[in-house]
């Protein structure tokens, strides 16, 4: 029903609905959220029921009783949505409310607390992020100031002293580097370790499920070589020296390449070569273009 | 097919199969020198006979003036084009694995086919392209063909399936250069190794490995043996030191004096023929000789494979006729089955089993 009609009909108090003549109040009208009216009705019913039927799994001794409870709730919802036995269903709801008043209250409290807790978490996170941003900005400021100061000092010194120009410049540059290095180490360490600690505290480590290692009948020359941690190896230098780890993106590990190479180096080292002609030399037929090699 | 020699490993007591012996390189592409020579000779003879017949069918008496290639000359040509692979790879900057794989594919292909049927130039291009794909360094076909003069993409693609089939679809190859890298890494675990000496030896050994690609060693020996042989050519001391460390087994104690030579001696003995093969055969073939062979090849190519020649057309017609016959036969069978009322054929036993497989083509 459009808003203007609602205003027209119901401003002067409760009035009968033009279609079904039920008495309605203006307050009872809510704006429609879903396109489908049936869905809207269902959602409204479920919202109403959920306020009362808010028990959780923990409130039940076993799964069966929990599922029974859920089925009750669905039953009631179904009846209300499809207008079956409305009066009886209302009676059931009322009875449930009387029986479980205390538990309902408890659950309401609990939910409220949880919502509160979540909000606080969010606040804390946001504050932390802001703090960190502020710190970084402060650091940048400091750096810039120091650089400026350094340059000023250099200019002054060049003006005033007679010492060798190059030496002065070199010295000031060395000092600047030292300052930069010292600065990078301390704040970085601080913030990342703090982050790591909080994240570790939140998540709980999941222990590895015990599993049987892969067993098959292949001998992979494991006893013929031992893989060391590090080799002098120009071939893999590019990958190992790559600081940003771009080359290792797909999970590439140098150790695996080394292991493969080592395996190749010892594989078949004592296989004797074939000798002489066997009784059946490989079929040499060129009447066909291709020979499908027999296994 | 090449029968398998029993693996004479020191650990033959355990029932597990070494993985190298599960690879197709071990199972299908391992021969003795005698077998190789025999294969090539018989292949060559059969090919000459076929081509001679094709020539005769075309115009009688023409084949007497043509001098066909023999197996050694074919090998010369293959060797030349194997060297060209290396040049191409340098041009495209392909990794060594691609180059090694392509050369292996080329050699294996010409153990199953003859040069007179398929010119090695095209086969080489196709083998290289296939190698880039199978070693996970693919490039676009247009890019590949555009960088090679006088080559259209279809030249490469036409032979691709043929090459793959001739390889028996055994695309994975175990290479000696990787084994050499492994030996380089492993030697560093030995005590008292002079890194400078090792480095120099490694570089020399690598050139030997590259030379070995022009020889037949990879069809006879395992990649680890070839790598050890190359290292032994560069620095015998290092090689034997490493071999000794690998064979460190209880048998090398003085309790068994001379009845069983220590495994390390066996391995080192094994290396001698490899070394001589690499030194003798590992250089690019003589340009003049190759030019001569190439000239003769132009005259003795199999006319059946040249698109547009009489023999080719005749062969195509013969094939099509066979296919048409087969289709007619099948249609007749189906019609008969429908007439009988049961579309799946009622009396299986009464029909002659006609072999309609496509394999023979």
């Amino acid at each position: 029903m459009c808003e203007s009609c609602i205003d027209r009909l119901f401003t002067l108090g409760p009035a009968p609905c033009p279609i079904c003549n039920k008495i309605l109040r203006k307050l009872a009208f809510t704006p429609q959220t879903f396109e489908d009216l049936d869905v809207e009705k269902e959602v409204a019913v479920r919202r109403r029921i959920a306020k009362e039927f808010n028990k959780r799994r923990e409130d039940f001794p076993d799964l069966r009783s929990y599922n029974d409870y859920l089925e009750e709730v669905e039953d009631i919802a179904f009846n209300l949505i499809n207008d079956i036995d409305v009066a009886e269903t209302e009676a059931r709801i009322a009875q449930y409310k009387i029986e479980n008043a205390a538990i309902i209250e408890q659950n309401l409290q609990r939910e409220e607390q949880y919502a509160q807790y979540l909000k606080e978490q969010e606040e804390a996170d946001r504050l932390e992020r802001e703090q960190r941003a502020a710190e970084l900005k402060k650091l940048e400021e400091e750096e810039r100031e120091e650089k400026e100061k350094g340059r000023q000092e250099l200019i002054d010194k060049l003006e005033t002293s007679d010492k060798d120009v190059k030496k002065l410049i070199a010295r000031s540059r060395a000092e600047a580097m030292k300052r930069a290095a010292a600065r990078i180490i301390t704040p970085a360490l601080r913030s990342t370790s703090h982050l790591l600690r909080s994240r570790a505290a939140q998540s709980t480590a999941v222990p590895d499920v015990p599993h049987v290692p892969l067993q098959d009948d292949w001998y992979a020359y494991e006893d013929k070589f031992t893989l060391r941690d590090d080799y002098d190896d120009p071939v893999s230098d590019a990958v190992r020296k790559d600081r940003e780890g771009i080359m290792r993106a797909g999970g590439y590990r140098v150790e695996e390449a080394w292991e493969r190479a080592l395996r190749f180096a010892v594989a078949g080292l004592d296989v004797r070569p074939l000798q002489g002609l066997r009784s059946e030399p490989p079929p040499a037929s060129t009447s066909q273009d291709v020979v499908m090699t027999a296994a | 097919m090449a029968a398998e020699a029993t693996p004479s490993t020191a650990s033959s007591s355990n029932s597990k199969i070494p993985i190298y012996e599960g690879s197709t390189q071990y199972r299908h592409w391992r021969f003795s020198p005698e077998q190789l020579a025999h294969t090539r000779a018989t292949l060559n003879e059969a090919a000459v006979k076929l081509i001679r017949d094709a020539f005769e069918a075309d115009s009688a008496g023409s084949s007497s003036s043509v001098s066909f290639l023999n197996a050694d000359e074919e090998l010369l040509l293959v060797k030349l084009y194997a060297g060209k692979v290396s040049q191409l790879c340098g041009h495209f900057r392909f990794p060594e694995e691609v180059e090694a794989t392509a050369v292996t594919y080329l050699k294996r292909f010409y153990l199953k086919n003859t040069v007179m049927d398929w010119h090695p130039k095209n086969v080489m291009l196709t083998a290289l392209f296939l190698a880039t794909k199978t070693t996970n360094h693919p490039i676009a076909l247009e890019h590949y063909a555009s960088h090679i003069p006088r080559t259209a993409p279809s030249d490469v693609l036409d032979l691709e399936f043929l090459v793959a089939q001739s390889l028996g679809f055994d695309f994975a190859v175990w290479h000696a250069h990787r084994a050499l890298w492994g030996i380089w890494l492993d030697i560093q675990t030995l005590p008292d190794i002079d890194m400078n000496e090792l480095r120099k030896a490694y570089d020399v050994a690598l050139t030997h490995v590259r030379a070995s690609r022009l020889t037949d060693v990879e069809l006879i020996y395992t990649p680890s043996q070839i790598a050890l042989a190359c290292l032994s050519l560069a620095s015998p001391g290092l090689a034997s030191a490493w071999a000794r460390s690998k064979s460190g087994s209880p048998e090398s104690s003085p309790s068994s004096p001379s009845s069983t030579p220590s495994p390390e001696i066996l391995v080192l003995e094994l290396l001698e023929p490899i070394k001589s093969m690499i030194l003798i055969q590992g250089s690019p073939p003589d340009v003049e000789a190759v030019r001569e062979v190439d000239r003769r090849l132009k005259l003795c190519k199999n006319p059946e494979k040249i698109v547009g020649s009489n023999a080719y057309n005749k062969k195509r017609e013969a094939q099509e006729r066979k296919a048409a016959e087969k289709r007619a036969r099948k249609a007749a069978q189906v019609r008969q089955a429908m007439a009988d009322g049961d579309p799946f054929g009622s009396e299986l036993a009464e029909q002659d089993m006609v072999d309609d497989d496509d394999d023979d083509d």
Side-chain angles (χ1 to χ4, degrees):
Chain A
M1 201 184 215
C2 80
E3 265 198 62
S4 32
C5 287
I6 297 180
D7 279 340
R8 177 172 52 89
L9 288 172
F10 295 100
T11 335
L12 299 171
C17 155
I19 311 284
C20 63
N21 286 320
K22 237 168 74 163
I23 309 285
L24 297 169
R25 299 185 328 272
K26 182 163 167 208
L27 212 14
F29 281 88
T30 46
Q32 186 178 346
T33 353
F34 298 95
E35 234 178 73
D36 191 0
L37 279 177
D38 295 321
V39 173
E40 182 77 43
K41 179 174 179 191
E42 175 158 354
V43 165
V45 166
R46 283 190 186 274
R47 209 176 300 161
R48 182 188 139 205
I49 301 184
K51 282 216 197 76
E52 268 113 55
F53 293 83
N54 58 1
K55 283 205 208 163
R56 299 203 193 160
R57 169 75 183 87
E58 291 88 42
D59 299 330
F60 291 89
D62 66 351
L63 190 60
R64 180 67 203 244
S65 42
Y66 182 51
N67 286 338
D68 287 342
Y69 163 76
L70 287 177
E71 193 175 344
E72 248 317 300
V73 173
E74 280 308 310
D75 227 21
I76 294 183
F78 186 77
N79 288 349
L80 285 178
I81 293 168
N82 299 298
D83 300 323
I84 311 170
D85 296 337
V86 182
E88 195 191 311
T89 317
E90 296 287 343
R92 270 161 82 179
I93 298 183
Q95 184 174 32
Y96 174 84
K97 247 209 296 210
I98 299 172
E99 280 176 10
N100 300 296
I103 304 182
I104 295 178
E105 266 301 309
Q106 223 178 27
N107 284 345
L108 272 173
Q109 294 282 356
R110 204 181 359 187
E111 279 171 26
E112 227 174 295
Q113 271 177 0
Y114 187 60
Q116 185 77 339
Y117 166 71
L118 277 179
K119 235 194 299 182
E120 280 172 20
Q121 275 274 0
E122 252 173 83
E123 276 295 316
D125 271 335
R126 205 162 44 84
L127 275 174
E128 204 186 306
R129 240 175 289 147
E130 280 177 25
Q131 253 181 357
R132 230 179 307 139
E135 268 187 36
L136 278 172
K137 239 187 287 181
K138 216 184 357 157
L139 276 171
E140 267 177 53
E141 284 290 328
E142 278 178 29
E143 265 189 56
R144 227 177 311 142
E145 279 184 29
E146 295 232 16
K147 240 194 283 183
E148 277 300 317
K149 236 194 304 177
R151 230 179 295 154
Q152 276 299 92
E153 281 187 18
L154 178 60
I155 295 178
D156 290 340
K157 254 191 266 183
L158 286 173
E159 275 181 1
T160 54
S161 82
D162 318 316
K163 277 196 248 172
D164 185 16
V165 174
K166 283 206 204 88
K167 253 197 263 173
L168 279 175
I169 296 182
R171 202 185 309 161
S172 77
R173 204 164 294 163
E175 282 179 23
M177 290 217 145
K178 243 193 298 166
R179 250 181 285 137
R183 220 200 320 278
I184 291 177
I185 296 181
T186 34
L189 267 184
R190 221 176 352 134
S191 57
T192 46
S193 67
H194 175 66
L195 271 175
L196 281 172
R197 238 178 294 130
S198 62
R199 203 150 301 157
Q202 284 176 10
S203 65
T204 49
V206 179
D208 202 15
V209 177
H211 61 279
V212 178
L214 182 67
Q215 289 176 337
D216 58 19
D217 283 333
W218 295 103
Y219 162 60
Y221 311 100
E222 299 92 5
D223 51 350
K224 289 268 165 108
F225 65 90
T226 37
L227 182 65
R228 275 198 347 194
D229 286 337
D230 194 19
Y231 290 99
D232 175 357
D233 185 20
V235 177
S236 63
D237 262 352
V239 172
R240 286 185 293 152
K241 295 230 167 72
D242 175 20
R243 279 189 177 285
E244 294 161 11
I246 296 177
M247 293 195 204
R248 296 192 296 275
Y252 177 81
R253 295 189 312 136
V254 185
E255 290 78 16
E256 292 180 9
W258 284 337
E259 197 182 334
R260 184 175 171 217
L262 286 168
R263 192 163 283 137
F264 272 45
V266 295
L269 201 49
D270 39 13
V271 171
R272 310 218 63 80
L274 296 173
Q275 311 217 332
L277 289 178
R278 295 288 164 152
S279 49
E280 303 150 7
S285 47
T286 48
S287 57
Q288 317 151 11
D289 289 334
V290 156
V291 174
M292 305 296 271
T293 55
Chain B
M1 221 31 260
E4 293 153 25
T6 37
S8 57
T9 54
S11 54
S12 48
S13 52
N14 67 6
S15 54
K16 296 191 171 202
I17 317 166
I19 45 176
Y20 181 67
E21 292 172 22
S23 71
T24 52
Q25 181 160 332
Y26 177 89
R27 285 188 287 128
H28 298 165
W29 297 100
R30 201 164 71 100
F31 310 95
S32 69
E34 295 83 5
Q35 275 176 328
L36 278 179
H38 178 88
T39 307
R40 289 185 175 131
T42 36
L43 204 65
N44 182 264
E45 275 174 35
V48 167
K49 183 168 169 315
L50 268 178
I51 299 178
R52 194 166 294 224
D53 288 345
F55 268 119
E56 292 292 327
D58 212 7
S59 54
S62 59
S63 70
S64 51
S65 59
V66 177
S67 75
F68 294 100
L69 302 178
N70 65 24
D72 292 328
E73 291 166 340
E74 288 195 27
L75 194 55
L76 206 59
L77 216 50
V78 174
K79 226 166 140 178
L80 172 74
Y81 280 96
K84 294 210 175 166
V85 169
S86 173
Q87 287 172 12
L88 265 183
C89 286
H91 173 66
F92 279 106
R93 319 268 276 219
F94 288 144
E96 186 150 9
E97 194 182 355
V98 176
E99 182 185 335
T101 313
V103 171
T104 305
Y105 285 173
L106 195 64
K107 283 195 272 191
R108 289 182 183 181
F109 179 82
Y110 282 112
L111 279 180
K112 300 274 178 238
N113 304 76
T114 169
V115 163
M116 296 182 270
D117 272 348
W118 310 104
H119 194 283
K121 172 165 171 296
N122 298 329
V123 176
M124 185 248 310
L125 296 175
T126 309
L128 182 53
F129 187 62
L130 194 55
T132 62
K133 287 198 274 190
T134 56
T135 50
N136 204 22
H137 297 93
I139 60 172
L141 179 58
E142 288 84 30
H143 183 238
Y144 182 68
S146 64
H147 279 253
I148 304 176
R150 296 185 296 270
T151 313
S154 61
D155 292 339
V156 173
L157 284 184
D158 286 344
L159 288 174
E160 194 173 25
F161 192 67
L162 176 67
V163 171
Q165 240 184 332
S166 305
L167 295 174
F169 299 98
D170 296 335
F171 293 128
V173 183
W174 298 52
H175 288 299
H177 68 265
R178 196 174 293 275
L180 186 64
W181 184 30
I183 300 182
W184 150 274
L185 293 175
D186 208 25
I187 285 193
Q188 294 174 27
T189 57
L190 296 177
D192 305 328
I193 294 292
D194 175 12
M195 283 312 292
N196 274 329
E197 187 195 341
L198 180 59
R199 230 168 265 141
K200 272 194 285 216
Y202 180 70
D203 288 332
V204 175
L206 201 52
T207 50
H208 284 303
V209 167
R210 294 197 176 119
S212 80
R213 292 203 194 114
L214 295 176
T215 70
D216 282 337
V217 282
E218 66 188 16
L219 298 166
I220 308 173
Y221 300 99
T222 68
S224 53
Q225 291 165 347
I226 302 173
L228 190 55
C230 292
L231 186 64
S232 170
L233 278 174
S235 159
L238 283 174
S240 50
W242 186 75
R244 218 169 315 138
S245 75
K246 282 308 132 192
S247 66
S249 51
E251 297 156 33
S252 54
S253 60
S255 58
S256 58
S258 58
S259 48
T260 36
S262 65
E264 154 220 345
I265 303 283
L266 286 174
V267 168
L268 289 175
E269 275 174 2
L270 199 55
L271 302 182
E272 290 308 316
I274 309 182
K275 288 199 265 193
S276 58
M277 264 183 97
I278 295 180
L279 289 175
I280 296 176
Q281 298 176 11
S283 41
D286 173 38
V287 177
E288 276 308 313
V290 170
R291 209 171 295 172
E292 166 74 26
V293 173
D294 203 25
R295 210 167 40 80
R296 280 172 45 209
L297 176 60
K298 285 202 188 39
L299 299 171
C300 68
K301 276 173 87 111
N302 187 350
E304 280 180 9
K305 301 288 186 285
I306 304 176
V307 182
S309 74
N310 284 341
Y312 179 82
N313 292 336
K314 259 193 261 177
K315 186 138 190 256
R316 275 272 296 276
E317 277 175 39
Q319 278 178 341
E320 278 175 27
R321 225 180 317 130
K322 242 175 80 180
E325 274 176 36
K326 197 196 305 183
R327 275 196 293 269
R329 231 183 308 133
K330 276 221 173 113
Q333 273 181 6
V334 170
R335 241 177 293 131
Q336 177 70 15
M338 296 300 299
D340 284 345
D342 180 357
F344 294 111
S346 38
E347 304 295 338
L348 275 177
E350 292 185 3
Q351 296 173 359
D352 324 315
M353 295 313 288
V354 182
D355 182 11
D356 274 337
D357 274 345
D358 274 326
D359 287 349
D360 306 341
D361 288 340

